[in-house]
Amino acid sequence: MLLRIENTPREYAWGSTTAIAELLGTRPSGAPEAELWLGDHPGSPARIVTDDPSTVSDLSALLRARGEKLPFLLKVLAAAEPLSLQAHPTIAQAREGFARENAACVALDASDRNYKDELHKPELIYALSDPFIALAGFRPLADSRAALVAVGEPALQPLIERLDDDAALPGVVRWLIERGEGVDAIVDALTAAARTLEGDPRDSESWATVRRLADHYPGDPGIALSMLMHTVVLRPGEALYLPTGNIHSYQRGLAVEVMAASDNVLRGGLTPKHVDVPELMRVLDARPMAEPRIAPVEIAPGVQRFTPDVVDFALTVVEAGAAIGGVTLDTGGPAIVLCLEGELLLQGTLVLARGQAAYADGPSLSVHGTGRAVVATGHHPAG
């Protein structure tokens, strides 16, 4: 089965008013267009493009009628403002939390509901804009200490003194998020220091993040938490892989995101939405790590695949011109294709132009043409 699909961008306050429209070659709505969902997730299922009004027009309904469900969701994400600090649970944590909230009769659409399903939500973000900026994972404590000490601000000493050992990190995170004693003064001092450092040789992407967050969320303890994290600057074609438990916040830019088909989010700040600190700390991987970049493997000339350590999804990128002579991708099952530029012919029958998308469910997918595309594939996790 090969179907053209489409959807309407979701309007979140942090979205860009132009980036998705410019990518797809469509007319901007005038509203902040934050995410375009391409999949069967019930939150915003893709529509099937058809001239026959008697056929099913909803990809989710079509797959459900066949007893099928996609294990992944492909999105286009356009952030003009920072998203919330968040982490996602493992499958075991999600199942336990989902059952617990069901037993407590917490409505699925309740504002304080943490678990909307029984799935984990690892995710991969592939940059389209230059740059795409993200907060992702905790950096080595020595790096955070050095950045804080360098400004010589006495008001930051209570935070500096707590960063003495990796084992202390979970406690520091909780103290910050819960606005423990002295945290508000630290946030104020960090904000003032970041303003002073702008243009100074000691300035850095981390201090730029503090300024950005202070502009959008003044006084939020997430400002202090950001100094313990990597500020990652991606260039087009670079990607991050964020496993379960990883704390992150997309800051600015346009990207393709592919993830397990879950809606489970535990927030830690930079948001007016519900923040459940005990539950966040239960799923959070509060350990220093390297920047969580993921490198692709070239599977054919001009064709690269990002394969994370989960079965739910992989992302294949067909660069412009790589399919002029035709390439066949081993999809192993369902796939979502988004044409980013130019024109492509799928399976010898369906033409995709810039901004158009398709659903395919064969074991392989033939691609011909001059265009550039991303292809999401994956399998349901066992157990």
Side-chain angles (χ1 to χ4, degrees):
M1 183 166 57
L2 182 61
L3 303 168
R4 268 256 293 123
I5 59 173
E6 64 182 9
N7 212 340
T8 302
R10 307 198 78 178
E11 297 180 5
Y12 301 144
W14 49 263
S16 167
T17 57
T18 59
I20 289 180
E22 289 174 355
L23 175 71
L24 304 183
T26 56
R27 184 186 299 274
S29 67
E33 298 176 337
E35 294 181 346
L36 179 74
W37 291 24
L38 295 171
D40 67 340
H41 194 286
S44 181
R47 298 185 300 271
I48 298 170
V49 179
T50 176
D51 295 326
D52 184 354
S54 67
T55 60
V56 177
S57 61
D58 180 309
L59 183 61
S60 177
L62 176 66
L63 295 184
R64 191 166 57 247
R66 296 172 51 164
E68 300 171 2
K69 181 175 176 56
L70 290 176
F72 60 84
L73 174 63
L74 179 69
K75 296 181 181 179
V76 177
L77 181 146
E81 300 177 6
L83 281 66
S84 62
L85 281 166
Q86 56 190 261
H88 309 297
T90 64
I91 287 182
Q93 291 167 340
R95 287 176 176 170
E96 188 280 328
F98 186 72
R100 173 164 32 94
E101 292 187 331
N102 283 348
C105 298
V106 181
L108 273 176
D109 60 353
S111 62
D112 60 347
R113 176 101 190 194
N114 293 315
Y115 297 95
K116 306 295 178 65
D117 52 63
E118 296 182 292
L119 293 173
H120 62 171
K121 193 189 174 191
E123 55 194 54
L124 183 150
I125 194 92
Y126 172 81
L128 297 177
S129 62
D130 189 4
F132 182 89
I133 303 174
L135 280 168
F138 293 108
R139 60 179 175 167
L141 265 60
D143 293 351
S144 298
R145 282 180 61 94
L148 297 171
V149 169
V151 300
E153 171 53 61
L156 299 179
Q157 196 60 33
L159 175 57
I160 293 169
E161 291 174 355
R162 289 173 182 259
L163 302 178
D164 58 349
D165 184 83
D166 287 354
L169 188 53
V172 175
V173 171
R174 185 158 194 160
W175 169 64
L176 291 174
I177 295 176
E178 291 184 331
R179 289 184 184 271
E181 184 178 354
V183 168
D184 285 346
I186 287 169
V187 171
D188 290 343
L190 284 170
T191 301
R195 304 287 189 207
T196 302
L197 286 171
E198 189 167 10
D200 186 280
R202 295 169 296 170
D203 199 9
S204 67
E205 291 291 345
S206 292
W207 288 112
T209 294
V210 169
R211 291 191 291 272
R212 180 168 51 248
L213 297 182
D215 288 342
H216 293 288
Y217 296 99
D220 193 291
I223 293 170
L225 197 58
S226 76
M227 286 299 295
L228 308 184
M229 299 173 62
H230 294 285
T231 292
V232 184
V233 179
L234 297 180
R235 303 303 176 187
E238 297 180 337
L240 292 175
Y241 169 57
L242 307 172
T244 57
N246 178 287
I247 190 167
H248 57 279
S249 165
Y250 300 137
Q251 297 285 292
R252 179 167 61 87
L254 180 70
V256 168
E257 186 180 20
V258 61
M259 66 193 69
S262 171
D263 201 21
N264 289 324
V265 179
L266 283 303
R267 295 179 177 86
L270 309 177
T271 179
K273 295 182 179 179
H274 176 60
V275 176
D276 185 334
V277 178
E279 199 64 25
L280 171 66
M281 297 307 301
R282 194 171 78 87
V283 308
L284 186 65
D285 185 356
R287 296 176 297 175
M289 60 183 294
E291 285 189 355
R293 294 173 180 264
I294 183 171
V297 173
E298 187 170 70
I299 60 175
V303 182
Q304 298 181 323
R305 179 168 293 165
F306 294 88
T307 306
D309 62 358
V310 292
V311 300
D312 308 66
F313 60 87
L315 184 70
T316 301
V317 181
V318 180
E319 296 293 352
I324 289 178
V327 295
T328 298
L329 305 179
D330 177 13
T331 56
I336 299 288
V337 184
L338 173 63
C339 184
L340 299 175
E341 61 181 78
E343 190 174 275
L344 293 168
L345 178 66
L346 306 183
Q347 305 292 62
T349 61
L350 179 63
V351 175
L352 288 187
R354 169 191 171 194
Q356 294 182 336
Y359 167 81
D361 65 356
S364 62
L365 180 70
S366 69
V367 183
H368 288 75
T370 59
R372 179 178 180 227
V374 289
V375 184
T377 56
H379 302 280
H380 290 283

